Amino acid sequence: MLLNIFQSGIFEWQFRRQLLVTLSATLITFCHGIALGWLSPMLPKLLSEQDTPLDFFIDVGQASWVGAAISLGGISGNFSISFLMNRFGRKVALYALALPNTCIWFLFYFARSIEWLYVARVCAGLTGGGMFVVLPIFIGEIADNSIRGRLCSFFTLTMNTGIMVGFIVASHIPYHVIPCAVVGLPVLYLFMATRFPETPQQLLVWSREEEAQKALKYYRHCDGPQVTKEQEREYQKQFDEMRLAIQQRSKDAGNVGLSMADFCNKRALKAMATGLVLMIAQIFTGTFAFINYMSNIFDAVHTQLDPNTNTIIIGAVQIVGTLASMYLVDRYGRKILLVVSCAGSGLGAAGFGLYAFYAEETDADLSAYASWLPVSLMALIIFIANVGVISVSMVVLVELLPQKIRAVATSICLGCLSFFAFTSLKTFPLMMFHFGLAATMWFSASVCALCLFYVVVFVEETKGRSIYD
């Protein structure tokens, strides 16, 4: 699969720098993924007075706040990083992501009370909320139309890889060793972020045309002696298209900037409505809460495998799902992946809910299935969600939104995503405690069905669409 993903374009000479810059920029999503994956195996330890690695332990209510605090930081990260991006450019916003991610590991290491963990999770939210704003736009602007879907999928791939690493290290490495091993990664990311230029689109907005030409040549690999005349013509065509689009946008904006009319026209409203539905699909289909509380879920259904082992298996499945998305997204389009993802996640959640019902509410003997069925159903949910909803939503959002309102509208949608994530993470353990895992899973399946209806009826295909439209 890896060979098939990369053989038709992404490793070609003219795209190589786009790939390397994308990998450099998404190192921060790998760091963020480790912080996300850390929670699931660590939470049962923190809930246990005997097993806690700290000088204190927590109860279920505090555990729900530890889970949900990341979303409070996410809302702040959405809007603060959006402000930096619009005021100072994409590069400054990328630099800013390193600070809160570094703080996470110092707070985890020196934690003396539950409040330290709350603040660490808020810092994780600042990083996550900010990177969801700036990275899809940054990658979308530097990427060629023919490989944009695959490059944007690296955002999810690196985060899922980080989540799996977080699962592993939190399960098998002592608590205080983990921050020491990880804290250097955001510093490395910051150094690598200084090695590539600002996006040509942003430089044109600042009327720095000569620098914009150099930046586009850099990203299109057209700045060396081996460039052919055909490649030079293609570069010039792309630059002229970019310049005209940004000049037209500046002309339309005039001296008044954005107005309500820019957000209230039919195209903008439909694009933002689609963005909100995709944000709901990302969160309330359950996958984000599943990742954060995975070990608790497997413990609730009394699986015969160690819950942390199951969690690591699911982390690997996430990566396979993202690789599948990278292979499919630029071949078969975005919409079909969203349809399959919503349908498959809904069926998987309904099936897991049925198993949980028999495990929790009846005396049925499920020992013959306990070693493989729960992890298989959860693997299906996570795999199919990563093929579509999780990997493709941000690509579709960037391609649907009109360029004039893209940055602001993306921040609004991601602010809603953070609010939805807070609601999900705060209520999921409480729903499990008060209503049972079965009812919680069936709720997720119902959301999948509603999102499937919207995607089938209202979402349009965006494959190959220019981001200047």
Side-chain angles (χ1 to χ4, degrees), residues 38 42 45-48 50-56 174-176:
W38 173 93
M42 196 61 67
K45 300 177 186 177
L46 295 172
L47 285 163
S48 170
Q50 291 76 32
D51 298 332
T52 180
L54 299 172
D55 297 330
F56 59 91
Y175 177 94
H176 287 95

Side-chain angles (χ1 to χ4, degrees), residues 22-190:
T22 298
L23 290 173
S24 299
T26 53
L27 178 59
I28 194 65
T29 65
F30 176 76
C31 302
H32 180 67
I34 297 175
L36 288 181
W38 173 93
L39 180 67
S40 180
M42 196 61 67
L43 199 56
K45 300 177 186 177
L46 295 172
L47 285 163
S48 170
E49 186 175 0
Q50 291 76 32
D51 298 332
T52 180
L54 299 172
D55 297 330
F56 59 91
F57 67 99
I58 63 178
D59 58 32
V60 173
Q62 291 172 323
S64 71
W65 278 111
V66 171
I70 190 172
S71 302
L72 298 177
I75 296 172
S76 301
N78 293 149
F79 293 102
S80 59
I81 295 298
S82 177
F83 170 78
L84 288 176
M85 182 175 67
N86 291 320
R87 180 67 179 84
F88 301 106
R90 281 54 168 149
K91 287 290 297 296
V92 170
L94 290 176
Y95 297 151
L97 297 176
L99 178 60
N101 192 266
T102 305
C103 291
I104 295 169
W105 304 107
F106 283 102
L107 289 163
F108 280 161
Y109 186 88
F110 292 107
R112 296 292 179 266
S113 66
I114 185 64
E115 289 76 19
W116 291 66
L117 300 183
Y118 291 155
V119 176
R121 291 284 287 175
V122 169
C123 288
L126 287 169
T127 304
M131 74 187 195
F132 270 94
V133 171
V134 66
L135 279 173
I137 291 177
F138 174 79
I139 296 171
E141 288 183 345
I142 69 168
D144 188 89
N145 288 347
S146 64
I147 63 168
R148 186 186 303 122
R150 276 166 286 176
L151 287 185
C152 285
S153 293
F154 273 99
F155 178 90
T156 307
L157 176 64
T158 51
M159 184 165 64
N160 287 344
T161 304
I163 288 172
M164 187 181 72
V165 171
F167 288 159
I168 294 171
V169 298
S171 298
H172 300 292
I173 294 179
Y175 177 94
H176 287 95
V177 175
I178 300 171
C180 299
V182 178
V183 72
L185 290 177
V187 178
L188 175 62
Y189 155 79
L190 186 61

